[in-house]
Amino acid sequence: MLGRLTVEALPFYSWVAMGGAAVTVGGGIAVFLLITWLRAWKVLWTDWLTSVDHKKIGIMYVVLALVMLVRGFVDALMMRAQQAFSLNSEGYLPPEHFEQIFSSHGTIMIFFVAMPFLTGLINIIVPQQIGARDVAFPFLNSVSLWMTAAGAALVLISLVVGKFSQAGWTGYPPYSGVEYSPGVGVDYWLWALITSGVGSTLSGINFIVTIVKNRCPGMTFMRMPMFTWTTLCISILIAFSFPALTVVAGQLTLDRTLGFHFFTNGDGGNMMMFANLLWIWGHPEVYILILPAFGIFSEVVATFSRKRLFGYTSLVYATACIALLSFTVWLHHFFTMGSSANVNAIFGIATMIIAVPTGVKIFDWLFTMYKGRIEFHPSMVYTIGFMVTFVIGGVTGVLLALPPADYLMHNSTFLVAHFHNMLIPGALFGYFAGLNYWFPKAFGFKLDTKWGIRSFWCWIIGFYLAFMPLYVLGFKGMSRRMEHYADPTWQPYLIVAAIGALFVLCGIACIAIQLYVSARKWGSARDITGDPWNGRTLEWATSSPPAPYNFAVLPEVTDIDAFHDMKILGQAYQPPQHYEDIVMPKNTWIGPALGALAFALGFAFVWYIWWLVALCFVLSLVCVGIRASDDNSEFVLPAAEVARIERERLAQISPADMHDMHDYVPRGAASGAPLTGTV
Amino acid sequence: MNHSAERSLSTYLTGFVLAVLLTAIPFALVWGGLLAGSAVYAVIAVAAVLQVIVHLVFFLHIDLKSTPAENLFFLAFAAVLIFIMVGGSLWIMMDLHHRMQ
Amino acid sequence: MSAATILEEEQKHALHSREFGFWIYLMTDAVIFALLFASYAVLAENSAAGPTSNDLFDLSRTAIETGLLLVSSLTFGMASIALMHDQKGRVVQWLFVTLLLGLAFLAMEMGEFGGMIEKGAGPEVSGFLSAFFTLVGTHGLHVAFGSLGIVVMIGQVLVKGLTAPVRSRLMRLGLFWHFLDIVWIGIFSAVYLPGVL
């Protein structure tokens, strides 16, 4: 009846495991009680969970990412604490628990922090940046969100029922095969990946179609804001690389569940194919995480330098180059597998080439700042911190791209330091910059800057303290993922790294305090114009938070930085001649239902509860069938209602709230003159 | 993929005849044992590629003029990526296989 | 503009988007198949102690399967032509013929799989057989979903008539069906024919 699920699966075997389970269950109960106490269940269900509004879906993605960031960071803290003390001793974590922690840390940070964070920001902003009322497939968007949430839920429930994978976030066989990992851990990992991977693929397709088909009149490809460009590129990367993850995860699942021999040690399996297929997905994935952050940095640096982005065209081409090249370097993740010199050399050279367009971008941002009137808003400070720190990571990356050097540093803490050096400044700082930059757009009031700056300093100091020692330790020969060690000269470095983790803890606390403080005094920090930073792109033309339809009348665009030009020319905040009816998608329960079914399906597969697998499968088909035959999924918002909302908004804006644009002159196509002079 | 062009019976029939021919050639070669060695593989590969093109043109109605540019772009992009992924994988794995012996 | 015309405009745009989105989905599916082909190519020689492709493949069966799929592509084309001429009855007839051909293909494939498993050549025997069953089985699964799609669309044509959304769905289903035939070209060229050489 319950497959291999028995009472033994509950975590009564160790205090640490029970602690983790208690926090998870306790957190769930606390949230449940809070919502009940606020009597918010109905609002939550009708306005949020069933919503197909891209802004709300985006906010839910970001909330999911922040919750999982805390979970993933607790893992990091536990690892740092273990290694700080485990010189010639067991530390406080047994090996099998330590292994689960580094596996879940990587899995969570990649799939359930970075992916939902960037998808959330994209959801909130991109349709507004291209002057659209919605994404191409609003319902599919809801399905994507709930598939991702289902994957996250599978990782969370593994803390309470059963165990998580011990095979690292990359899960290489044969260790992740059923012979060496017979438990449910690897299955949880696989089903979390497959479920969230389906969600990501759907959102990739959704945003390709949105950007290609839904741009407002006049917005040619070369007039799209940089963040939209990076989104288009990563959506293509998602659509074409996630199939590889689906294939490799599916094959390992078949190996484990039905006794296939794709990656087994004997019977004609080939475990090296796993590494090959995994990294065909894995390397583009790195750029999927980083490119949207590059887009955010581009927006932020132009806005807070009060200048047009330097070298827009070169940034576009650099992004496109990175996107294509990211499919040609995957072997550098396994140089040491023993390919011949020719193979390693070609992939090494390709890897070094990919550093070139990335360098182009750094110069473009620096030249944008050059002679600009820089304002040190938290998002700008994060951007500057990123540029300084990311370059160090880039340099160590080029070092690792040399196969002979890689043979020495492979699987050492040098590698760990390198990829954290790319992903913390390169991705996470970008998302935090985006959070500070676009928060008023999503919620209608600004975030506190004091706590924003504090969070930045804690994060950057914490980052350097935590990871610079790991570079040194890598040179001293320390392997990654060590539960304990015997070299006393390592310990001081590991203690410094642990102190760094405590600084990062302060950084996360600052963000929490920032959110709390800002919410407490939101009335005094309201964003009335919808344009708090004198922004340049179309998302600042809508109200904050935007009306459900974003734009009452679709804007027309003649140049990049469209909204900036509108403000200079006095065209912003002007009521249109007349309003029109607007078609809106209706909310639907099918998105969350499919997510719940995906979660149950994954759980049933993990525990071999076959009747539940069949039931979930059939119910999913029924849900899809109900949706497919529903020809009444939209409604019309009448023009009168649109006019009421818009008049109310415009009445609030007094000229004193607007930015003084006297110092600016329109540039490029909007000025009607060729590109001369400086701003 | 195109809405305007004529999808006439003759298009489908031409495609069908060509596809039958391109299927029959490799089957006949293998069955009859007419060729030996790597030449057979070459003929099978060429016939397969040609038949894929026949299907794309006559059944999926891909053509350079009337198919939307974005559809063509993604078709070409997929072809390039499949080439990189499959070609790269085989190159890497054959190389490893060779060095394992 | 009245609400009805706005809805209609919106619907037209939405259908175009869906057709484009479906095209991208097909490309991603093509990548999945490409990687399954790559896996098969890597594992094809690894029959361990089990039977090899020469012991198992029966080219005459493959030829018939190939014929069934190829003819079904033609019959779906007939349905598309009938759709263009608004011949509702013809559309249903040709879809029904296509469905029968698809089911016949599936029956043959299931017979083949069943026979192999009976002979002790199931997917759990060797790397070669794992890759074979996964590649060919994934294609078969797609044909099964395609057949289900045809059943649903026959129902929609009969109930709703040839409305704009129904036409668009039929067009997308056609793309899917022709796409599966292309994948099959890969399967007989990369799996069955080299397998008996």
Side-chain angles (χ1 to χ4, degrees):
Chain A
M1 181 68 183
L2 290 176
R4 52 175 167 167
L5 178 58
T6 62
V7 77
E8 314 251 300
L10 295 171
F12 295 121
Y13 44 84
S14 106
W15 286 106
V16 183
M18 269 167 68
V23 170
T24 309
V25 174
I29 293 174
V31 171
F32 180 84
L33 289 179
L34 183 71
I35 296 169
T36 311
W37 183 63
L38 293 170
R39 295 164 191 268
W41 280 109
K42 190 158 190 295
V43 177
L44 190 69
W45 177 255
T46 50
D47 283 7
W48 289 88
L49 303 184
T50 57
S51 176
V52 292
D53 181 337
H54 65 90
K55 288 145 323 236
K56 286 181 174 167
I57 286 177
I59 290 169
M60 288 189 278
Y61 264 120
V62 175
V63 169
L64 173 69
L66 290 175
V67 171
M68 296 306 283
L69 174 69
V70 173
R71 164 72 215 279
F73 178 70
V74 169
D75 289 339
L77 211 53
M78 289 175 80
M79 281 187 280
R80 286 283 131 256
Q82 167 76 10
Q83 289 192 332
F85 299 119
S86 62
L87 170 67
N88 286 323
S89 79
E90 295 290 308
Y92 70 102
L93 286 175
E96 65 275 9
H97 202 130
F98 187 74
E99 288 172 356
Q100 283 185 59
I101 287 175
F102 67 65
S103 306
S104 67
H105 171 75
T107 308
I108 286 175
M109 288 303 195
I110 301 274
F111 290 93
F112 303 111
V113 178
M115 289 301 285
F117 212 146
L118 73 91
T119 315
L121 292 171
I122 287 171
N123 257 296
I124 299 169
I125 295 305
V126 164
Q128 301 187 66
Q129 275 199 335
I130 59 173
R133 289 195 176 127
D134 211 332
V135 296
F137 311 120
F139 165 66
L140 208 60
N141 210 9
S142 162
V143 176
S144 297
L145 166 70
W146 292 111
M147 294 297 264
T148 311
L154 280 173
V155 177
L156 287 182
I157 195 117
S158 76
L159 264 183
V160 184
V161 187
K163 294 178 180 175
F164 194 66
S165 168
Q166 294 168 295
W169 82 272
T170 49
Y172 278 13
Y175 185 51
S176 59
V178 74
E179 197 180 347
Y180 301 100
S181 296
V184 294
V186 178
D187 297 301
Y188 266 125
W189 174 75
L190 283 168
W191 285 101
L193 259 57
I194 292 171
T195 315
S196 69
V198 171
S200 297
T201 312
L202 294 179
S203 39
I205 295 175
N206 204 344
F207 277 94
I208 294 174
V209 180
T210 303
I211 295 174
V212 171
K213 294 281 185 189
N214 282 12
R215 281 165 295 137
C216 66
M219 184 168 282
T220 58
F221 279 109
M222 290 313 274
R223 287 175 189 162
M224 295 193 315
M226 265 323 290
F227 183 59
T228 301
W229 256 113
T230 55
T231 301
L232 177 61
C233 287
I234 70 132
S235 302
I236 295 174
L237 292 189
I238 288 176
F240 285 95
S241 70
F242 270 78
L245 180 70
T246 310
V247 166
V248 76
Q251 289 175 338
L252 187 57
T253 306
L254 288 171
D255 272 10
R256 290 181 57 84
T257 313
L258 297 177
F260 281 35
H261 291 289
F262 280 106
F263 310 124
T264 51
N265 224 343
D267 295 320
N270 188 338
M271 63 197 78
M272 292 183 287
M273 191 63 182
F274 180 92
N276 180 63
L277 289 174
L278 182 88
W279 289 111
I280 286 181
W281 159 80
H283 199 80
E285 169 70 8
V286 175
Y287 289 93
I288 291 167
L289 304 181
I290 282 185
L291 284 177
F294 284 3
I296 296 168
F297 293 133
S298 304
E299 306 289 345
V300 166
V301 84
T303 301
F304 290 108
S305 301
R306 308 278 165 235
K307 273 176 72 189
R308 180 181 269 225
L309 189 61
F310 182 90
Y312 169 85
T313 317
S314 67
L315 277 167
V316 170
Y317 282 110
T319 307
C321 269
I322 292 175
L324 183 64
L325 285 174
S326 71
F327 281 106
T328 63
V329 298
W330 75 90
L331 181 122
H332 72 214
H333 294 271
F334 49 96
F335 277 143
T336 56
M337 204 153 81
S339 298
S340 62
N342 283 346
V343 177
N344 276 355
I346 290 208
F347 279 93
I349 292 166
T351 307
M352 285 179 243
I353 292 174
I354 210 169
V356 175
T358 316
V360 167
K361 293 184 157 215
I362 295 277
F363 281 110
D364 281 331
W365 295 318
L366 287 175
F367 282 124
T368 307
M369 288 169 66
Y370 179 67
K371 286 194 174 176
R373 278 171 286 169
I374 296 170
E375 186 186 318
F376 289 98
H377 182 267
S379 51
M380 186 65 187
V381 178
Y382 269 116
T383 304
I384 296 170
F386 146 77
M387 280 193 262
V388 175
T389 314
F390 188 78
V391 169
I392 300 173
V395 169
T396 58
V398 174
L399 191 58
L400 283 167
L402 298 161
D406 183 78
Y407 265 83
L408 299 176
M409 272 129 25
H410 183 83
N411 252 3
S412 72
T413 57
F414 186 91
L415 171 82
V416 175
H418 161 68
F419 69 70
H420 283 88
N421 200 340
M422 303 315 271
L423 290 176
I424 291 179
L428 202 58
F429 281 14
Y431 309 154
F432 287 152
L435 184 71
N436 278 282
Y437 186 58
W438 283 316
F439 187 89
K441 183 47 64 188
F443 289 99
F445 61 94
K446 291 183 246 183
L447 281 178
D448 186 76
T449 50
K450 204 168 60 187
W451 284 102
I453 299 282
R454 285 175 190 163
S455 78
F456 164 75
W457 282 112
C458 290
W459 266 97
I460 194 145
I461 293 171
F463 167 77
Y464 277 98
L465 286 178
F467 292 104
M468 293 302 135
L470 292 195
Y471 276 125
V472 180
L473 284 170
F475 282 133
K476 288 165 77 71
M478 183 176 176
S479 292
R480 70 197 292 197
R481 299 171 173 169
M482 290 183 79
E483 192 252 347
H484 64 270
Y485 51 94
D487 186 339
T489 64
W490 292 356
Q491 195 175 31
Y493 294 96
L494 288 165
I495 289 173
V496 173
I499 293 169
L502 290 176
F503 269 90
V504 172
L505 175 67
C506 293
I508 292 178
C510 286
I511 292 173
I513 296 169
Q514 184 190 25
L515 290 169
Y516 176 74
V517 167
S518 314
R520 279 293 295 271
K521 56 171 197 184
W522 71 279
S524 60
R526 276 185 63 197
D527 169 26
I528 292 163
T529 57
D531 175 27
W533 324 119
N534 200 359
R536 312 176 75 84
T537 39
L538 277 181
E539 78 268 29
W540 304 110
T542 60
S543 57
S544 291
Y549 45 78
N550 299 346
F551 298 92
V553 175
L554 292 185
E556 279 203 37
V557 168
T558 54
D559 199 0
I560 64 168
D561 290 352
F563 184 58
H564 194 68
D565 293 332
M566 286 180 191
K567 284 186 287 186
I568 298 171
L569 300 170
Q571 296 161 349
Y573 312 114
Q574 299 299 315
Q577 303 278 327
H578 58 86
Y579 291 99
E580 57 187 55
D581 293 346
I582 294 175
V583 180
M584 300 291 300
K586 283 181 193 163
N587 287 357
T588 168
W589 54 271
I590 294 179
L594 282 173
L597 286 169
F599 168 76
L601 185 77
F603 188 80
F605 261 118
V606 168
W607 292 101
Y608 298 167
I609 309 172
W610 302 117
W611 62 267
L612 188 57
V613 169
L615 181 69
C616 291
F617 185 73
V618 171
L619 286 178
S620 300
L621 278 185
V622 170
C623 282
V624 172
I626 291 175
R627 177 71 194 181
S629 51
D630 180 8
D631 283 348
N632 192 21
S633 61
E634 286 165 332
F635 69 98
V636 174
L637 198 65
E641 175 67 7
V642 177
R644 189 189 62 75
I645 296 173
E646 291 296 306
R647 285 202 196 101
E648 209 167 87
R649 177 204 173 196
L650 291 175
Q652 284 186 348
I653 304 174
S654 72
D657 297 322
M658 296 180 196
H659 295 284
D660 180 8
M661 305 302 287
H662 280 98
D663 289 351
Y664 300 96
V665 289
R667 289 191 49 185
S671 67
L675 282 168
T676 51
T678 51
V679 173
Chain B
M1 280 310 285
N2 79 62
H3 311 276
S4 55
E6 192 70 2
R7 287 186 188 177
S8 61
L9 185 59
S10 64
T11 320
Y12 281 104
L13 284 177
T14 317
F16 182 73
V17 171
L18 285 173
V20 168
L21 271 176
L22 287 165
T23 306
I25 292 169
F27 268 91
L29 282 184
V30 174
W31 239 325
L34 299 177
L35 269 174
S38 53
V40 195
Y41 293 101
V43 173
I44 293 174
V46 170
V49 171
L50 288 178
Q51 199 183 342
V52 169
I53 295 171
V54 165
H55 278 240
L56 285 174
V57 172
F58 293 96
F59 293 161
L60 286 142
H61 311 287
I62 300 291
D63 76 84
L64 297 179
K65 275 191 221 111
S66 56
T67 307
E70 60 264 23
N71 293 41
L72 284 178
F73 171 82
F74 279 97
L75 180 65
F77 193 73
V80 170
L81 282 189
I82 286 172
F83 177 75
I84 292 175
M85 289 176 184
V86 176
S89 295
L90 294 184
W91 185 42
I92 293 166
M93 299 312 291
M94 297 305 164
D95 179 72
L96 283 169
H97 185 66
H98 179 70
R99 286 164 69 84
M100 293 280 280
Q101 283 171 342
Chain C
M1 272 195 280
S2 73
T5 46
I6 284 200
L7 268 174
E8 209 169 286
E9 281 294 302
E10 187 72 18
Q11 190 187 51
K12 219 156 116 195
H13 181 76
L15 292 182
H16 276 293
S17 292
R18 279 180 199 172
E19 281 154 26
F20 178 48
F22 192 78
W23 183 248
I24 299 172
Y25 154 73
L26 283 184
M27 297 300 118
T28 66
D29 220 11
V31 174
I32 286 189
F33 277 110
L35 293 173
L36 289 176
F37 275 112
S39 303
Y40 178 81
V42 167
L43 297 176
E45 304 290 317
N46 299 5
S47 43
T52 64
S53 54
N54 259 317
D55 306 332
L56 296 169
F57 293 169
D58 170 13
L59 265 198
S60 51
R61 183 191 281 271
T62 311
I64 298 171
E65 287 172 343
T66 308
L68 284 172
L69 272 193
L70 195 52
V71 175
S72 82
S73 251
L74 184 67
T75 56
F76 208 116
M78 297 295 129
S80 302
I81 293 174
L83 180 67
M84 219 166 53
H85 296 126
D86 286 320
Q87 296 157 321
K88 189 170 146 186
R90 277 287 175 80
V91 171
V92 173
Q93 282 164 21
W94 283 116
L95 282 180
F96 188 70
V97 176
T98 312
L99 176 66
L100 288 183
L101 290 164
L103 291 179
F105 170 85
L106 280 177
M108 288 205 67
E109 190 161 83
M110 277 173 12
E112 181 186 6
F113 281 8
M116 283 170 75
I117 292 170
E118 245 168 59
K119 266 194 270 177
E124 72 291 345
V125 172
S126 66
F128 151 64
L129 284 167
S130 298
F132 169 81
F133 274 94
T134 308
L135 170 60
V136 182
T138 305
H139 176 267
L141 207 60
H142 276 70
V143 176
F145 276 113
S147 305
L148 186 65
I150 293 179
V151 173
V152 172
M153 286 318 296
I154 289 176
Q156 289 202 5
V157 172
L158 290 176
V159 175
K160 296 183 180 179
L162 298 176
T163 61
V166 170
R167 282 167 175 279
S168 169
R169 278 172 210 148
L170 267 176
M171 206 209 74
R172 278 177 269 151
L173 183 63
L175 285 179
F176 186 70
W177 198 259
H178 295 309
F179 166 76
L180 292 182
D181 203 7
I182 292 183
V183 174
W184 184 256
I185 299 172
I187 289 181
F188 75 71
S189 304
V191 177
Y192 286 104
L193 290 177
V196 297
L197 278 172

